[in-house]
Amino acid sequence: MWRLTKVRHKSGRLGGTLEEFKLKRREQERALRQARKDNQLVSKRLLLSEDEEHEVNMDTNSAELDVVSLLHKLQHSNPEREFHMRMLSKALRDPSMQRCFVKQENSVHLLVGFLSGSDAQCRLQSVRCLHELSHSPHPNVAPACLPATPYLLTYLSGQSTKFTELCLYTLGNLCPDNDVIKGKLLAQGIVPALATCLENQRHNPAVVEAVAFTLSQLLQTKDEAAKTVSMVLTSRLPSLLLSVLNPDPEFSLGPAIECAWCLHYIACSSVDNTALLTHGTLTHCSSLLVKLGEAVGDGNKDEGLELLFCPLLRIVGNLLSSCPAEELATQLTDSRLVVTLCSMVQSTIQTRPSLARESLWVLNNLTAYSADFCSALLTHNLVPGLLQLLSFSQGINTMVLGVLANTAFRGEEFCVTLTQLGLLTALSATLKMTDQEMVSLSLDVLFMLVVATPQAAEEFIRISCLSTLEALQYNSDGGMRRKATYLLEHHLLS
């Protein structure tokens, strides 16, 4: 017999027979998140000084910019040392020059000498040289910079904003190249150094963005991710990230976007999401989503808003699955969150379908874990808009139907309302689709409706959909054949 506890769509806590479906969905979501992350995130950043922004396209083949001759000149004290350092930093923008430089004996140690010296201008120029090297596409260049990292970390407590930014972006650029580098940076104390820097500079948007960029690079590790995340969770960084995750209209959204990505990497690692919940991460991020949704609704077309939406959605979606059921009502109190999510789906489904899917994923988790948010869908009259999305492909319709299924699962009152809003008519169309997963899920939803209320069965017969079910009795999929037959024999023709 086909029992309600066997319904496959459900991804909530209401049954222990759904683990296979949950695992499949999580694997799909993980693959989608990874693909989108690879396409969206910048791995390295090059920070130019104001006087250099118009001098990028230089002839680095000239004798003046030859790194070997510049190194020779820098090894001997002369009044033009600062000038030669500037020339060297510009020469190192050429990837071939970068490889040439690190092959020279004691080249990096020469920079470290200037970095640890008393001449402020030489310190600045040495960091610029290291920054250019950290931006290199060649994997053997970054490890050569390791002798300089203790000094870069020390200078994070400095007073100069530009100098601190340079140190931070240099450290951040070094992280993606090699997990060995990340391990050494962790051992050298990069986590507490970043926490102190963020705490001291939390009112400086440029430095906040640079700290968060470096931390996000550190968190994107292939090996020993749990170790890195654990160190971050036991530091002051989670609370500090949340404290600065408040977009300031007077500045760009860059700092908030970078901080949100950091919290996303921590949340998706699932190392200790209880700690994030304790810090109020779920409450803060969901409230911020509502505020951003209102801003978009009021006509704010800042592209940064959409860039901020993506990591916030992933944080909320991941933390929902970690939040104990008894605590969810206290963590999420604003029912307008479902309005925001549905609005985002409607506004991005044509232009940015990946963001629409992210919003639906969160909406699916919300309705799976909370009857209150299922009620909110009905209270705010959001179901008609969702029904219109059932004709979309690329996984959109499946996720929408999953949300409606979660709502129907709540019982008779919900099923009656869904029937009145036209869900049965929508199912009559989805049952004819070629997408087998969509048809199977439609049968599950239909089963819930006709079991919950006899009026649903009567309405389904009235709109002449029995022939569709009868045809499904001959489907190539045995599971669908059994479901269609069971519905006909026990609920529609009996």
Side-chain angles (χ1 to χ4, degrees):
M1 180 181 288
W2 180 20
R3 299 183 183 276
L4 190 57
T5 54
K6 298 290 185 181
V7 175
R8 292 174 52 253
H9 81 277
K10 195 71 175 142
S11 59
R13 298 184 175 88
L14 301 177
T17 61
L18 310 169
E19 290 303 315
E20 182 179 348
F21 179 77
K22 289 167 65 178
L23 288 173
K24 177 184 176 183
R25 284 294 298 274
R26 285 173 181 169
E27 288 299 323
Q28 292 173 340
E29 289 158 1
R30 186 179 296 112
L32 286 171
R33 289 196 299 271
Q34 181 65 42
R36 286 193 287 276
K37 181 190 76 174
D38 291 342
N39 289 332
Q40 290 178 4
L41 296 187
V42 178
S43 296
K44 295 188 177 186
R45 294 187 185 176
L46 183 62
L47 194 67
L48 298 178
S49 63
E50 293 178 0
D51 62 332
E52 292 176 321
E53 287 179 350
H54 304 293
E55 300 178 19
V56 177
N57 297 319
M58 321 181 51
D59 180 13
T60 53
N61 293 317
S62 65
E64 184 181 33
L65 294 181
D66 181 73
V67 293
V68 177
S69 62
L70 285 171
L71 271 174
H72 179 73
K73 293 174 182 177
L74 288 169
Q75 287 168 348
H76 300 84
S77 178
N78 62 75
E80 295 186 328
R81 174 173 286 170
E82 183 185 338
F83 172 76
H84 292 144
M85 290 285 287
R86 288 179 180 273
M87 292 299 101
L88 178 60
S89 69
K90 293 173 184 177
L92 290 177
R93 290 176 188 164
D94 186 336
S96 63
M97 293 291 184
Q98 293 163 355
R99 286 190 297 177
C100 176
F101 178 82
V102 297
K103 289 179 181 179
Q104 303 304 310
E105 186 176 2
N106 294 323
S107 56
V108 174
H109 287 284
L110 179 66
L111 293 179
V112 172
F114 290 127
L115 185 61
S116 58
S118 57
D119 189 318
Q121 283 302 314
C122 283
R123 281 203 304 270
L124 176 62
Q125 294 305 321
S126 65
V127 173
R128 291 200 183 282
C129 291
L130 290 164
H131 184 60
E132 297 291 346
L133 291 172
S134 74
H135 198 257
S136 175
H138 301 294
N140 63 323
V141 173
C145 298
L146 274 173
T149 54
Y151 297 96
L152 295 174
L153 291 172
T154 300
Y155 288 133
L156 296 187
S157 57
Q159 298 301 313
S160 169
T161 295
K162 282 297 181 184
F163 192 74
T164 303
E165 275 189 274
L166 267 175
C167 292
L168 285 165
Y169 282 114
T170 302
L171 290 165
N173 286 344
L174 293 174
C175 287
D177 286 316
N178 196 312
D179 280 340
V180 173
I181 295 176
K182 291 183 182 180
K184 289 188 179 295
L185 288 172
L186 289 172
Q188 291 169 358
I190 189 172
V191 171
L194 291 175
T196 300
C197 185
L198 183 55
E199 185 172 29
N200 294 337
Q201 301 276 0
R202 59 185 177 276
H203 301 300
N204 188 328
V207 175
V208 169
E209 182 173 356
V211 169
F213 167 77
T214 303
L215 180 59
S216 69
Q217 298 287 77
L218 189 67
L219 289 167
Q220 295 178 70
T221 181
K222 298 176 182 177
D223 301 322
E224 299 188 13
K227 177 184 176 182
T228 305
V229 173
S230 295
M231 292 178 70
V232 172
L233 284 171
T234 54
S235 72
R236 294 164 291 160
L237 280 168
S239 58
L240 289 169
L241 288 170
L242 283 173
S243 70
V244 296
L245 188 54
N246 290 296
D248 191 328
E250 296 183 8
F251 300 100
S252 72
L253 291 170
I257 293 170
E258 291 297 342
C259 289
W261 278 113
C262 291
L263 290 168
H264 157 65
Y265 293 129
I266 298 171
C268 73
S269 72
S270 300
V271 171
D272 184 8
N273 281 349
T274 302
L276 289 179
L277 291 169
T278 302
H279 283 297
T281 308
L282 180 56
T283 302
H284 185 89
C285 291
S286 59
S287 297
L288 188 52
L289 277 174
V290 173
K291 291 179 182 177
L292 293 177
E294 291 175 343
V296 173
D298 292 338
N300 190 325
K301 298 187 181 300
D302 190 335
E303 183 182 356
L305 290 177
E306 286 193 3
L307 296 177
L308 182 54
F309 255 106
C310 189
L312 287 175
L313 287 168
R314 297 182 188 185
I315 294 166
V316 173
N318 279 305
L319 291 183
L320 278 170
S321 60
S322 303
C323 186
E326 62 275 11
E327 295 180 13
L328 192 57
T330 58
Q331 291 275 351
L332 295 174
T333 58
D334 194 341
S335 65
R336 292 177 300 167
L337 180 57
V338 294
V339 179
T340 297
L341 294 172
C342 289
S343 176
M344 279 301 297
V345 173
Q346 297 284 357
S347 62
T348 61
I349 195 165
Q350 298 286 358
T351 57
R352 292 193 62 188
S354 63
L355 192 55
R357 281 193 289 271
E358 297 278 4
S359 302
L360 283 169
W361 170 61
V362 177
L363 188 59
N364 209 312
N365 283 355
L366 272 178
T367 52
Y369 299 146
S370 170
D372 291 337
F373 283 101
C374 291
S375 297
L377 277 179
L378 305 179
T379 303
H380 293 287
N381 196 32
L382 299 171
V383 171
L386 291 175
L387 292 177
Q388 294 176 4
L389 302 177
L390 290 174
S391 60
F392 283 81
S393 57
Q394 297 182 334
I396 296 290
N397 51 8
T398 306
M399 299 181 83
V400 170
L401 193 54
V403 171
L404 297 170
N406 290 340
T407 307
F409 194 82
R410 298 296 169 180
E412 180 180 353
E413 182 180 349
F414 291 86
C415 288
V416 169
T417 305
L418 288 171
T419 300
Q420 293 171 347
L421 291 171
L423 179 54
L424 280 173
T425 303
L427 291 178
S428 68
T430 58
L431 285 168
K432 298 174 184 177
M433 290 182 172
T434 56
D435 185 337
Q436 296 290 287
E437 183 180 3
M438 193 66 179
V439 174
S440 181
L441 184 53
S442 298
L443 288 169
D444 293 340
V445 177
L446 177 61
F447 173 75
M448 285 186 277
L449 294 177
V450 298
V451 166
T453 169
Q455 289 79 10
E458 295 171 3
E459 176 66 15
F460 190 76
I461 295 172
R462 189 189 67 78
I463 60 177
S464 305
C465 291
L466 288 181
S467 59
T468 303
L469 277 186
E470 290 169 346
L472 286 174
Q473 292 182 101
Y474 302 96
N475 191 279
S476 59
D477 184 276
M480 278 195 275
R481 289 199 303 271
R482 289 188 292 271
K483 288 180 180 182
T485 300
Y486 186 85
L487 274 167
L488 286 167
E489 294 180 352
H490 293 84
H491 295 285
L492 296 172
L493 296 179
S494 57

Coordinates of all heavy atoms in Angstrom, one line a residue, residues 146-215:
L146 N 56.5 33.0 0.8 CA 56.3 32.6 2.2 C 57.2 33.3 3.2 O 56.7 33.6 4.3 CB 56.4 31.1 2.4 CG 55.1 30.3 2.0 CD1 55.4 28.8 2.1 CD2 54.0 30.6 3.0
P147 N 58.4 33.5 2.9 CA 59.3 34.2 4.0 C 58.7 35.6 4.4 O 59.1 36.1 5.5 CB 60.6 34.4 3.3 CG 60.7 33.2 2.3 CD 59.3 33.1 1.8
A148 N 57.9 36.2 3.5 CA 57.3 37.5 3.9 C 56.1 37.5 4.7 O 55.7 38.5 5.3 CB 57.1 38.3 2.6
T149 N 55.4 36.3 4.8 CA 54.0 36.3 5.4 C 54.0 36.7 6.9 O 53.1 37.4 7.3 CB 53.4 34.9 5.2 OG1 54.2 33.9 5.7 CG2 53.1 34.7 3.7
P150 N 55.0 36.3 7.7 CA 55.0 36.8 9.1 C 55.0 38.3 9.2 O 54.3 38.9 10.1 CB 56.3 36.2 9.7 CG 56.6 35.0 8.8 CD 56.2 35.4 7.4
Y151 N 55.7 39.0 8.3 CA 55.7 40.5 8.4 C 54.4 41.0 7.9 O 53.9 42.0 8.4 CB 56.9 41.0 7.5 CG 58.2 40.5 8.0 CD1 58.9 39.4 7.5 CD2 58.9 41.2 9.0 CE1 60.1 39.0 7.9 CE2 60.1 40.8 9.5 CZ 60.7 39.7 9.0 OH 62.0 39.3 9.4
L152 N 53.8 40.4 6.8 CA 52.5 40.9 6.4 C 51.5 40.8 7.4 O 50.6 41.7 7.6 CB 52.1 40.1 5.1 CG 53.0 40.2 3.9 CD1 52.5 39.2 2.8 CD2 53.0 41.6 3.3
L153 N 51.5 39.7 8.2 CA 50.6 39.5 9.3 C 50.8 40.6 10.4 O 49.8 41.1 11.0 CB 50.7 38.1 9.9 CG 50.2 37.0 9.0 CD1 50.5 35.6 9.6 CD2 48.7 37.1 8.7
T154 N 52.1 40.8 10.7 CA 52.4 41.8 11.7 C 51.9 43.2 11.4 O 51.3 43.9 12.2 CB 53.9 41.9 12.0 OG1 54.4 40.6 12.4 CG2 54.2 42.9 13.0
Y155 N 52.0 43.6 10.1 CA 51.6 44.9 9.7 C 50.1 45.1 9.6 O 49.6 46.2 9.3 CB 52.3 45.2 8.3 CG 53.7 45.5 8.4 CD1 54.6 44.9 7.5 CD2 54.3 46.3 9.4 CE1 56.0 45.1 7.6 CE2 55.6 46.5 9.6 CZ 56.5 45.9 8.7 OH 57.8 46.2 8.8
L156 N 49.3 44.0 9.8 CA 47.8 44.2 9.8 C 47.4 45.1 10.9 O 46.2 45.6 10.9 CB 47.1 42.8 9.9 CG 47.3 41.9 8.7 CD1 46.5 40.6 8.8 CD2 47.1 42.5 7.4
S157 N 48.2 45.2 11.9 CA 47.8 46.1 13.1 C 48.3 47.5 12.9 O 48.2 48.4 13.8 CB 48.4 45.5 14.4 OG 49.8 45.4 14.2
G158 N 48.8 47.9 11.6 CA 49.3 49.2 11.4 C 48.1 50.2 11.2 O 47.0 49.9 11.2
Q159 N 48.5 51.5 11.1 CA 47.5 52.6 11.0 C 47.2 53.0 9.6 O 46.2 53.6 9.4 CB 48.1 53.8 11.8 CG 48.3 53.5 13.3 CD 47.1 53.1 14.0 OE1 46.0 53.7 13.9 NE2 47.2 52.0 14.8
S160 N 48.1 52.7 8.6 CA 47.8 53.1 7.3 C 46.8 52.2 6.6 O 47.1 51.0 6.4 CB 49.2 53.1 6.5 OG 48.9 53.3 5.1
T161 N 45.7 52.8 6.1 CA 44.7 52.0 5.5 C 45.2 51.4 4.2 O 45.0 50.1 4.0 CB 43.5 52.9 5.1 OG1 42.9 53.4 6.3 CG2 42.4 52.1 4.3
K162 N 45.9 52.1 3.3 CA 46.4 51.6 2.1 C 47.4 50.5 2.3 O 47.4 49.4 1.6 CB 47.0 52.7 1.2 CG 46.0 53.5 0.5 CD 45.1 52.7 -0.5 CE 44.1 53.6 -1.2 NZ 43.2 52.7 -2.1
F163 N 48.3 50.7 3.3 CA 49.3 49.6 3.6 C 48.6 48.4 4.1 O 49.0 47.3 3.7 CB 50.3 50.2 4.6 CG 51.5 49.4 4.7 CD1 52.5 49.4 3.7 CD2 51.7 48.6 5.8 CE1 53.6 48.6 3.9 CE2 52.9 47.8 6.0 CZ 53.8 47.8 5.0
T164 N 47.7 48.5 5.0 CA 47.0 47.4 5.5 C 46.2 46.6 4.4 O 46.2 45.4 4.4 CB 46.0 47.8 6.6 OG1 46.7 48.5 7.6 CG2 45.3 46.6 7.2
E165 N 45.5 47.4 3.5 CA 44.8 46.8 2.4 C 45.8 45.9 1.6 O 45.5 44.8 1.2 CB 44.2 47.9 1.5 CG 42.8 48.3 2.0 CD 42.2 49.2 0.9 OE1 42.5 50.4 0.9 OE2 41.5 48.7 0.0
L166 N 46.9 46.5 1.2 CA 47.9 45.8 0.4 C 48.3 44.5 1.1 O 48.4 43.4 0.4 CB 49.1 46.7 0.2 CG 49.2 47.5 -1.1 CD1 50.4 48.4 -1.1 CD2 49.2 46.7 -2.3
C167 N 48.6 44.5 2.4 CA 49.0 43.3 3.1 C 47.9 42.3 3.0 O 48.1 41.1 2.8 CB 49.4 43.7 4.5 SG 50.9 44.7 4.7
L168 N 46.7 42.7 3.2 CA 45.5 41.8 3.3 C 45.3 41.2 1.9 O 45.1 39.9 1.8 CB 44.3 42.6 3.7 CG 44.2 42.9 5.2 CD1 43.1 43.9 5.5 CD2 43.9 41.6 6.0
Y169 N 45.3 42.0 0.9 CA 45.0 41.4 -0.5 C 46.2 40.5 -0.9 O 45.9 39.5 -1.6 CB 44.7 42.5 -1.5 CG 43.3 43.0 -1.4 CD1 43.1 44.4 -1.0 CD2 42.2 42.2 -1.7 CE1 41.8 44.9 -0.9 CE2 40.9 42.7 -1.6 CZ 40.7 44.0 -1.2 OH 39.4 44.5 -1.1
T170 N 47.4 40.8 -0.5 CA 48.5 40.0 -0.8 C 48.3 38.6 -0.1 O 48.5 37.6 -0.8 CB 49.8 40.6 -0.4 OG1 49.9 41.9 -1.0 CG2 51.0 39.8 -0.7
L171 N 48.0 38.6 1.1 CA 47.7 37.4 1.9 C 46.6 36.6 1.2 O 46.6 35.4 1.1 CB 47.5 37.7 3.3 CG 48.6 38.2 4.2 CD1 48.1 38.7 5.5 CD2 49.6 37.0 4.4
G172 N 45.5 37.3 0.9 CA 44.4 36.7 0.3 C 44.7 36.0 -1.1 O 44.2 34.9 -1.4
N173 N 45.5 36.7 -1.8 CA 45.9 36.2 -3.2 C 46.8 34.9 -3.0 O 46.8 34.0 -3.9 CB 46.7 37.2 -3.9 CG 45.8 38.3 -4.5 OD1 44.6 38.2 -4.5 ND2 46.4 39.4 -4.9
L174 N 47.5 34.8 -2.0 CA 48.4 33.7 -1.8 C 47.6 32.4 -1.4 O 48.0 31.3 -1.7 CB 49.4 33.9 -0.7 CG 50.5 35.0 -1.0 CD1 51.3 35.3 0.3 CD2 51.4 34.6 -2.1
C175 N 46.5 32.6 -0.8 CA 45.7 31.4 -0.3 C 45.2 30.4 -1.3 O 45.3 29.2 -1.1 CB 44.5 31.9 0.6 SG 45.0 32.6 2.2
P176 N 44.7 30.9 -2.5 CA 44.1 29.9 -3.4 C 45.1 29.0 -4.0 O 44.8 27.9 -4.6 CB 43.4 30.7 -4.5 CG 43.3 32.1 -3.9 CD 44.4 32.2 -2.9
D177 N 46.4 29.3 -4.0 CA 47.4 28.6 -4.8 C 47.8 27.3 -4.2 O 48.1 26.3 -4.9 CB 48.6 29.4 -5.0 CG 48.4 30.5 -6.0 OD1 47.8 30.2 -7.1 OD2 48.8 31.7 -5.8
N178 N 47.8 27.2 -2.9 CA 48.4 26.0 -2.2 C 47.9 25.9 -0.8 O 47.9 26.8 0.0 CB 49.9 26.3 -2.2 CG 50.7 25.0 -1.9 OD1 50.4 24.3 -1.0 ND2 51.7 24.8 -2.7
D179 N 47.4 24.7 -0.5 CA 46.9 24.4 0.9 C 48.0 24.4 1.9 O 47.8 24.6 3.0 CB 46.1 23.1 0.9 CG 44.7 23.2 0.4 OD1 44.2 24.4 0.4 OD2 44.1 22.2 0.0
V180 N 49.2 24.1 1.4 CA 50.4 24.2 2.3 C 50.6 25.6 2.8 O 50.9 25.9 3.9 CB 51.7 23.7 1.5 CG1 52.9 23.9 2.4 CG2 51.5 22.2 1.2
I181 N 50.4 26.6 1.8 CA 50.5 28.0 2.2 C 49.5 28.3 3.3 O 49.7 29.0 4.3 CB 50.3 28.9 1.0 CG1 51.5 28.7 0.0 CG2 50.3 30.4 1.4 CD1 51.4 29.5 -1.3
K182 N 48.2 27.8 3.1 CA 47.2 28.1 4.1 C 47.5 27.5 5.4 O 47.3 28.1 6.5 CB 45.8 27.5 3.6 CG 45.2 28.2 2.4 CD 43.9 27.6 2.0 CE 43.3 28.2 0.8 NZ 42.0 27.7 0.4
G183 N 48.1 26.3 5.4 CA 48.5 25.7 6.7 C 49.6 26.5 7.4 O 49.5 26.6 8.6
K184 N 50.5 27.0 6.7 CA 51.6 27.9 7.3 C 51.0 29.2 7.8 O 51.3 29.6 8.9 CB 52.7 28.1 6.3 CG 53.5 26.9 6.0 CD 54.7 27.2 5.2 CE 55.6 26.0 4.9 NZ 56.2 25.5 6.1
L185 N 50.0 29.7 7.1 CA 49.4 31.0 7.5 C 48.6 30.7 8.8 O 48.6 31.6 9.7 CB 48.5 31.5 6.4 CG 49.2 32.2 5.2 CD1 48.2 32.5 4.1 CD2 50.0 33.4 5.7
L186 N 47.9 29.6 8.9 CA 47.2 29.3 10.1 C 48.1 29.1 11.3 O 47.8 29.6 12.4 CB 46.4 28.0 9.9 CG 45.2 28.1 8.9 CD1 44.6 26.7 8.7 CD2 44.1 29.0 9.5
A187 N 49.2 28.4 11.0 CA 50.2 28.3 12.1 C 50.8 29.6 12.5 O 51.2 29.8 13.7 CB 51.3 27.3 11.6
Q188 N 50.9 30.5 11.6 CA 51.5 31.8 11.9 C 50.5 32.8 12.6 O 50.9 33.9 13.0 CB 52.1 32.5 10.6 CG 53.3 31.8 10.1 CD 53.6 32.2 8.7 OE1 52.9 33.1 8.1 NE2 54.7 31.7 8.1
G189 N 49.3 32.3 12.7 CA 48.3 33.1 13.5 C 47.5 34.1 12.6 O 47.1 35.1 13.1
I190 N 47.1 33.7 11.4 CA 46.3 34.6 10.5 C 44.9 34.8 11.0 O 44.4 35.9 10.9 CB 46.3 34.0 9.1 CG1 45.7 35.1 8.2 CG2 45.6 32.7 9.0 CD1 45.8 34.8 6.7
V191 N 44.4 33.8 11.7 CA 43.0 33.9 12.2 C 42.9 35.0 13.3 O 42.1 35.9 13.1 CB 42.4 32.6 12.7 CG1 41.1 32.8 13.3 CG2 42.2 31.6 11.5
P192 N 43.6 34.9 14.3 CA 43.6 36.0 15.3 C 44.0 37.4 14.8 O 43.5 38.4 15.2 CB 44.5 35.5 16.5 CG 45.3 34.5 15.9 CD 44.5 33.8 14.8
A193 N 44.9 37.3 13.8 CA 45.4 38.6 13.2 C 44.2 39.3 12.4 O 44.0 40.5 12.5 CB 46.6 38.4 12.3
L194 N 43.5 38.5 11.7 CA 42.3 39.0 11.0 C 41.3 39.5 11.9 O 40.6 40.5 11.7 CB 41.8 37.9 10.0 CG 42.6 37.5 8.8 CD1 42.0 36.4 8.1 CD2 42.9 38.7 7.9
A195 N 41.0 38.7 13.0 CA 40.0 39.2 14.0 C 40.4 40.5 14.6 O 39.5 41.4 14.7 CB 39.9 38.1 15.1
T196 N 41.6 40.7 15.0 CA 42.1 41.9 15.6 C 42.0 43.1 14.6 O 41.5 44.2 14.9 CB 43.5 41.8 16.1 OG1 43.6 40.8 17.0 CG2 44.0 43.1 16.7
C197 N 42.4 42.8 13.3 CA 42.3 43.8 12.3 C 40.9 44.3 12.0 O 40.6 45.5 11.9 CB 42.9 43.3 11.0 SG 43.1 44.5 9.7
L198 N 40.0 43.3 12.0 CA 38.6 43.6 11.7 C 37.9 44.4 12.9 O 37.2 45.3 12.7 CB 37.8 42.3 11.5 CG 36.3 42.4 11.1 CD1 36.1 43.3 9.9 CD2 35.7 41.1 10.9
E199 N 38.3 44.0 14.1 CA 37.8 44.7 15.3 C 38.3 46.1 15.3 O 37.5 47.1 15.6 CB 38.2 44.0 16.5 CG 37.6 44.5 17.8 CD 37.9 43.7 19.0 OE1 38.9 43.0 19.0 OE2 37.0 43.7 19.9
N200 N 39.5 46.4 15.0 CA 40.1 47.7 15.1 C 39.7 48.6 13.9 O 39.6 49.8 14.0 CB 41.6 47.6 15.1 CG 42.2 47.0 16.4 OD1 41.5 47.0 17.4 ND2 43.4 46.5 16.3
Q201 N 39.4 48.0 12.8 CA 39.1 48.7 11.6 C 37.6 48.5 11.1 O 37.3 48.8 9.9 CB 40.0 48.3 10.4 CG 41.5 48.5 10.7 CD 42.0 49.9 10.4 OE1 41.2 50.7 10.0 NE2 43.2 50.1 10.7
R202 N 36.7 48.2 12.0 CA 35.4 47.8 11.6 C 34.6 49.0 11.0 O 33.5 48.9 10.4 CB 34.6 47.2 12.8 CG 34.4 48.1 14.0 CD 33.7 47.3 15.1 NE 33.6 48.1 16.3 CZ 34.6 48.2 17.3 NH1 35.7 47.5 17.0 NH2 34.4 48.9 18.3
H203 N 35.1 50.2 11.3 CA 34.4 51.4 10.7 C 35.1 51.9 9.4 O 34.7 52.9 8.9 CB 34.5 52.6 11.8 CG 33.8 52.2 13.0 ND1 32.4 51.9 13.1 CD2 34.2 52.1 14.3 CE1 32.1 51.6 14.4 NE2 33.2 51.8 15.1
N204 N 36.0 51.1 9.0 CA 36.7 51.4 7.7 C 36.3 50.4 6.6 O 36.8 49.3 6.6 CB 38.3 51.4 7.9 CG 39.1 51.8 6.7 OD1 38.6 51.7 5.6 ND2 40.2 52.4 7.0
P205 N 35.4 50.8 5.8 CA 34.8 49.8 4.8 C 35.9 49.2 3.9 O 35.7 48.0 3.6 CB 33.9 50.7 4.0 CG 33.5 51.9 4.8 CD 34.8 52.1 5.6
A206 N 36.9 49.9 3.5 CA 37.9 49.3 2.6 C 38.7 48.2 3.3 O 38.9 47.2 2.7 CB 38.9 50.4 2.1
V207 N 39.0 48.4 4.5 CA 39.8 47.4 5.3 C 38.8 46.2 5.6 O 39.2 45.1 5.5 CB 40.4 48.0 6.5 CG1 41.1 46.9 7.3 CG2 41.4 49.0 6.2
V208 N 37.6 46.5 6.0 CA 36.6 45.4 6.3 C 36.5 44.5 5.1 O 36.5 43.3 5.2 CB 35.3 46.0 6.7 CG1 34.2 44.9 6.7 CG2 35.4 46.7 8.0
E209 N 36.4 45.1 3.9 CA 36.2 44.3 2.7 C 37.5 43.5 2.4 O 37.4 42.3 2.0 CB 35.9 45.2 1.5 CG 35.7 44.4 0.2 CD 35.3 45.3 -1.0 OE1 35.1 46.5 -0.8 OE2 35.2 44.8 -2.1
A210 N 38.6 44.1 2.6 CA 39.9 43.3 2.4 C 40.0 42.2 3.4 O 40.5 41.1 3.1 CB 41.1 44.3 2.5
V211 N 39.7 42.4 4.7 CA 39.7 41.3 5.7 C 38.8 40.2 5.3 O 39.2 39.0 5.3 CB 39.4 41.9 7.1 CG1 39.2 40.7 8.1 CG2 40.4 42.8 7.6
A212 N 37.6 40.5 4.9 CA 36.6 39.5 4.6 C 37.1 38.7 3.3 O 36.9 37.5 3.2 CB 35.3 40.1 4.4
F213 N 37.6 39.4 2.3 CA 38.1 38.8 1.1 C 39.2 37.7 1.5 O 39.2 36.6 1.1 CB 38.7 39.8 0.2 CG 39.5 39.2 -1.0 CD1 38.9 38.6 -2.0 CD2 40.9 39.2 -0.9 CE1 39.7 38.0 -3.0 CE2 41.7 38.6 -1.9 CZ 41.1 38.0 -3.0
T214 N 40.2 38.2 2.3 CA 41.3 37.3 2.8 C 40.7 36.1 3.5 O 41.1 34.9 3.3 CB 42.3 38.0 3.6 OG1 42.7 39.2 2.9 CG2 43.4 37.2 4.0
L215 N 39.8 36.3 4.4 CA 39.2 35.2 5.2 C 38.4 34.3 4.3 O 38.5 33.0 4.4 CB 38.2 35.8 6.3 CG 37.5 34.7 7.1 CD1 38.5 33.9 7.9 CD2 36.6 35.4 8.1

